Amino acid sequence: MGNVRSLPNKMDELAALTRHQREYRECSLLLAETWLTALTPDTAAELDGFTLLRADRSKESGKRKGGGLAVFVNDRWCNPGHITVKEQHCCKDIELLAVSMRPYYLPREFTHALVVVVYVPPSANADAACDVLLSAVSRLQTQHPDALLLISGDFNHASPSSSLPKFTQYVTCHTRDNKTLDLFYANTKEAYHSLPLPPLGRADHNLVHLLPVYKTLVHRQPAVTRTVKKWSEEAEEALKDCFNTTLWDVFSDAHGEDIDSLTHCLTDYINFCVENTVPTRTVRSFSNSKPWITPDIKALLKEKRRAFVSGNKEELKSVQRELRRMIRKGKNSYRRKMEHQLQQNNVCGVWKGLKTISGFKEPKSQPVGDQGLLCCNPHHALCPLSTAPPVPPPPLSRPSAHTPPDTSSSLSVLRPSPPSTPPCSSLLLTSHQVRNALKKNRARKAAGPDGISSRLLKSCADQLCGIFGYTFNLSLKLGRVPQQLWKTSCIVPVPKTPHPKELNSYRPVALTSHLMKTLERLVLAHLRQLVSSFMDPLQFAYQPDIGVDDAVIYLLHTSLTHLEKAGSTTTVCEGAVALSRINFFAAPVLRREQVLAPFLFTLYTADFSYNTPSCHLQKFSDDSAVAGLITDGNDREYRGLIQDFADWCLRNNLQINAGKTKELVVDFRRRSHSPPAPVSIQGTDIDTVKSYKYPGCSPK
């Protein structure tokens, strides 16, 4: 690629290069600013073994000389009949030519190649040129989402990197003196390596040789061979018959109250029945396989190759017809599956299917740092204190959420006296409750350390609810759970980036026992009824039918309501609270993977709540935000609430990450006022920012 200026007087040199030098002979050349006009015939710019596509400068450019674009496509790389001009544009700011090519070979992840050649004159408006380029690229990507899109040309002073954030620029060498004016973009990473070449003739731009270093997806992620259970209705019925004929009283009578040995024996027996009843199969999964590819289609592909090698043309045609029919059938079946998930409101399944079809990739996880007020991501690892004695939680006395503040203090906390007859806290699970809880397991969830799959528990809930109900009640009676099977988690590292290179590039995912999760759900349902009246109404996390959208709406509504008052300023201070220790069933660490852990955290922090017309404290898990109304510079209540909240956290073994806490001040008053003094928490001045990111939201 390069800017060759006048192309006709350099064709002899270019023909000699393509005939005698390998890097020219085996490449597809992309050339910008060719100085071709309508008076120049194609024969003056033709090249043996290459197909020429040209876009001469038109009258719309407002200039008479220079300009013009040309693309030479190697015939050995792409058939001339598979080359199409998709778009052509010429104006005073940019000249553009988009060409579609379907080469003989492309990695399976790309359907075809789209090449966009660009020339931006030195006198052009850079912003207008980038807008035209972005519009053309957006149209091409919408029409061909799976194509390899390449952008090449002389951009001069224009820089489209900000307009094309998902494209990678590969020219790293100088193209004119000590400047890099010729750029090359691609919509894939780690695809090319650039090397400088001498210019053609007396051109003032060097040529650039782009060496392909792209590694196909099937080579980057080789085929994975794994053994899976082949679940079917026949296998489920056989398991149900096996469990129906099992004398479960033998297990309970033999082990008594030894819950560890009972759980081990039950787990081994259930896994033994599954291994002898459910057949297994070996599956090889390729990273670039389409979701509608079935084993029958793979068998037909092998049959087509065999028929081609044998030379039997009639058999080859028959196999090709059958292959086309099976491909259509597979696509229709996958489409019906997606439609069924959509009709059943299976949003998770539909979203996964759409991501698979569109080739969506998760963005890289970026440290949120100090991007805004609510973007400190303060999810601290909770300290394991197995050797320290457990600290009893504070009394479950809920402050008044709507009582105005006392004039003698910036925080008014009214604690009602506990009820004279506390509710009964005993819990005895019935077989009906256990059956319903087992049936709520998701069939496609990965198994925990005990190896019992969620599909088994869901399918055989009627047969297993009795013995597991006995096990759950025994665990509640003894106040402990099996140490090895139910309290152990398998940590699976999931990469955050396409090419992880360090430990921080992985996200740990803990796989715990489905039986332990089922027990925690049953206990959670019981605890919610007991403490529902004591929970903080402004805790928006881990609550049924409440999520981050409700938290954002409430915070925005309150802040905008404050701003409607004359002479007022709204201030939001957000920080993080981490629970240092808690003990439930002798669990020393509070983990997010557990079902009860989030509820226990919200219960522990529900003792402090505050909500008045001028100031309130709202929470989303461990992110706490204080929104206050400041009128005529009076911020006493707002600062008093923050100080009292910090003192309360200190008394209740909670830690505030003051270094990541941010403050946002919104002031729409016309007169300029001096900014308020920063809030101080634990001797640390809180930074004031102009934007923030609330959990799960974009920056505001």
Side-chain angles (χ1 to χ4, degrees):
M1 56 160 289
N3 186 336
V4 300
R5 303 187 70 181
S6 180
L7 181 62
N9 58 21
K10 300 179 177 64
M11 289 303 301
D12 293 338
E13 180 181 353
L14 186 59
L17 290 172
T18 55
R19 187 177 297 111
H20 299 289
Q21 293 193 13
R22 182 177 180 180
E23 59 264 27
Y24 290 89
R25 183 172 61 252
E26 296 183 354
C27 284
S28 174
L29 304 180
L30 312 177
L31 307 176
E33 196 183 3
T34 58
W35 288 18
L36 297 177
T37 64
L39 300 178
T40 306
D42 290 344
T43 55
E46 286 183 348
L47 200 61
D48 292 339
F50 290 83
T51 301
L52 171 64
L53 297 100
R54 50 188 281 189
D56 301 338
R57 175 172 285 180
S58 61
K59 296 181 180 180
E60 287 78 5
S61 64
K63 299 180 181 180
R64 297 181 180 179
K65 294 184 179 180
L69 304 171
V71 178
F72 290 89
V73 183
N74 198 325
D75 294 341
R76 291 183 297 177
W77 179 68
C78 181
N79 191 310
H82 296 164
I83 302 174
T84 308
V85 176
K86 300 292 293 184
E87 193 167 339
Q88 187 172 341
H89 185 84
C90 182
C91 64
K92 64 178 182 179
D93 297 318
I94 188 173
E95 298 178 32
L96 183 144
L97 174 65
V99 182
S100 171
M101 295 172 285
R102 192 180 297 273
Y104 296 113
Y105 170 78
L106 262 185
R108 185 181 293 180
E109 51 265 31
F110 303 116
T111 56
H112 60 291
L114 291 171
V115 178
V116 180
V117 187
V118 176
Y119 174 64
V120 179
S123 59
N125 186 334
D127 294 336
C130 292
D131 291 341
V132 174
L133 176 61
L134 178 61
S135 300
V137 171
S138 300
R139 286 192 295 269
L140 293 174
Q141 286 186 312
T142 302
Q143 298 172 2
H144 312 282
D146 295 328
L148 172 64
L149 186 55
L150 308 175
I151 304 174
S152 169
D154 182 3
F155 289 88
N156 281 305
H157 59 289
S159 179
S161 299
S162 58
S163 303
L164 304 171
K166 295 185 178 180
F167 283 71
T168 304
Q169 205 282 119
Y170 288 99
V171 178
T172 57
C173 54
H174 299 309
T175 60
R176 183 179 179 182
D177 296 333
N178 59 347
K179 300 179 181 179
T180 303
L181 303 180
D182 302 292
L183 305 177
F184 186 89
Y185 293 85
N187 60 344
T188 182
K189 297 182 179 180
E190 301 180 4
Y192 294 95
H193 175 65
S194 61
L195 292 176
L197 291 176
L200 281 180
R202 299 179 62 183
D204 56 350
H205 285 247
N206 299 330
L207 297 181
V208 179
H209 187 200
L210 291 155
L211 296 172
V213 294
Y214 179 75
K215 194 172 183 180
T216 59
L217 185 60
V218 70
H219 290 153
R220 278 183 284 152
Q221 302 177 6
V224 178
T225 302
R226 51 199 173 101
T227 302
V228 297
K229 296 292 183 181
K230 192 175 179 180
W231 290 91
S232 62
E233 294 183 0
E234 294 78 8
E236 291 180 1
E237 292 298 330
L239 275 176
K240 291 178 182 179
D241 293 339
C242 177
F243 293 147
N244 279 328
T245 57
T246 300
L247 300 177
W248 298 107
D249 294 340
V250 175
F251 295 92
S252 57
D253 296 340
H255 299 281
E257 293 188 353
D258 189 355
I259 190 171
D260 292 297
S261 60
L262 173 62
T263 307
H264 275 283
C265 187
L266 283 174
T267 302
D268 294 340
Y269 174 74
I270 292 176
N271 290 332
F272 173 79
C273 295
V274 172
E275 291 175 0
N276 289 274
T277 305
V278 182
T280 60
R281 63 173 180 176
T282 302
V283 179
R284 295 186 67 200
S285 59
F286 296 86
S287 56
N288 58 354
S289 294
K290 301 299 182 182
W292 42 266
I293 295 292
T294 61
D296 296 335
I297 295 179
K298 293 181 180 179
L300 284 175
L301 290 174
K302 294 180 180 179
E303 187 68 18
K304 179 182 177 180
R305 180 182 290 273
R306 187 196 61 78
F308 175 77
V309 173
S310 65
N312 191 339
K313 295 184 178 180
E314 295 297 330
E315 184 181 3
L316 179 61
K317 291 182 179 179
S318 176
V319 174
Q320 285 178 336
R321 287 195 298 269
E322 181 66 18
L323 179 61
R324 288 195 296 268
R325 187 184 69 83
M326 291 299 297
I327 289 177
R328 287 196 300 268
K329 182 180 178 181
K331 288 185 177 180
N332 291 333
S333 176
Y334 186 74
R335 175 181 56 81
R336 288 192 298 269
K337 175 184 175 182
M338 296 296 300
E339 292 176 351
H340 177 73
Q341 290 178 343
L342 188 59
Q343 293 172 356
Q344 299 296 326
N345 293 328
N346 187 354
V347 181
C348 180
V350 173
W351 177 237
K352 288 181 180 179
L354 291 177
K355 289 195 294 185
T356 303
I357 294 175
S358 61
F360 174 80
K361 297 179 181 179
E362 294 290 342
K364 290 184 178 181
S365 177
Q366 300 177 354
V368 286
D370 55 353
Q371 294 179 358
L373 176 64
L374 295 175
C375 66
C376 51
N377 194 18
H379 304 305
H380 305 276
L382 302 176
C383 307
L385 301 175
S386 56
T387 58
V391 178
L396 294 178
S397 55
R398 176 173 171 267
S400 177
H402 302 281
T403 305
D406 190 1
T407 56
S408 61
S409 174
S410 60
L411 174 65
S412 174
V413 179
L414 301 180
R415 302 183 182 277
S417 59
S420 57
T421 56
C424 180
S425 60
S426 60
L427 175 60
L428 182 63
L429 302 176
T430 64
S431 298
H432 179 71
Q433 291 175 315
V434 176
R435 182 188 299 108
N436 293 338
L438 292 176
K439 288 184 177 181
K440 291 181 180 179
N441 283 285
R442 297 183 181 180
R444 301 185 65 85
K445 284 290 187 177
D450 55 1
I452 298 180
S453 66
S454 58
R455 181 162 186 170
L456 168 68
L457 299 177
K458 183 180 181 68
S459 303
C460 303
D462 296 333
Q463 291 75 27
L464 300 176
C465 63
I467 185 60
F468 285 138
Y470 172 81
T471 308
F472 292 165
N473 287 324
L474 181 60
S475 174
L476 295 172
K477 175 184 176 182
L478 299 177
R480 52 187 295 268
V481 295
Q483 295 285 335
Q484 185 174 357
L485 292 179
W486 289 10
K487 291 187 60 178
T488 305
S489 298
C490 297
I491 306 299
V492 179
V494 178
K496 302 179 185 177
T497 60
H499 306 288
K501 298 180 181 179
E502 55 183 7
L503 294 179
N504 291 333
S505 300
Y506 292 91
R507 177 184 295 106
V509 176
L511 302 179
T512 57
S513 172
H514 290 289
L515 292 174
M516 183 62 195
K517 292 180 181 179
T518 303
L519 174 59
E520 289 187 348
R521 293 191 194 100
L522 293 169
V523 175
L524 176 62
H526 179 72
L527 292 179
R528 282 192 186 277
Q529 297 178 356
L530 297 177
V531 299
S532 58
S533 59
F534 298 99
M535 300 299 291
D536 187 357
L538 295 184
Q539 172 62 265
F540 293 91
Y542 314 125
Q543 302 293 334
D545 302 326
I546 297 178
V548 67
D549 293 337
D550 302 274
V552 173
I553 292 173
Y554 189 86
L555 183 61
L556 288 177
H557 174 73
T558 306
S559 301
L560 295 176
T561 303
H562 291 170
L563 291 174
E564 291 178 352
K565 300 179 182 180
S568 62
T569 303
T570 183
T571 309
V572 181
C573 182
E574 191 274 342
V577 179
L579 182 59
S580 59
R581 52 180 137 176
I582 194 169
N583 188 16
F584 178 77
F585 279 165
V589 182
L590 181 62
R591 298 190 305 239
R592 288 181 175 270
E593 293 77 11
Q594 296 176 341
V595 178
L596 277 174
F599 171 77
L600 295 176
F601 181 86
T602 56
L603 177 62
Y604 193 90
T605 57
D607 191 46
F608 189 98
S609 63
Y610 191 91
N611 186 14
T612 66
S614 58
C615 197
H616 80 278
L617 169 70
Q618 71 178 65
K619 309 166 188 172
F620 190 85
S621 184
D622 57 349
D623 293 291
S624 304
V626 175
L629 170 64
I630 300 176
T631 306
D632 297 331
N634 184 8
D635 57 355
R636 179 183 177 185
E637 181 183 4
Y638 167 72
R639 293 179 181 271
L641 173 58
I642 295 176
Q643 184 61 42
D644 290 341
F645 181 63
D647 296 340
W648 177 85
C649 292
L650 185 62
R651 293 193 305 268
N652 290 272
N653 301 314
L654 292 167
Q655 299 173 354
I656 295 182
N657 194 335
K660 292 185 177 181
T661 303
K662 306 299 176 183
E663 184 182 30
L664 173 67
V665 180
V666 182
D667 189 357
F668 290 154
R669 291 178 295 180
R670 295 182 180 180
R671 296 181 180 179
S672 59
H673 298 271
S674 59
V679 175
S680 177
I681 298 180
Q682 298 175 355
T684 302
D685 290 340
I686 304 305
D687 296 334
T688 302
V689 295
K690 295 182 179 180
S691 63
Y692 67 90
K693 182 178 181 297
Y694 206 64
C697 305
S698 59
K700 300 296 182 181

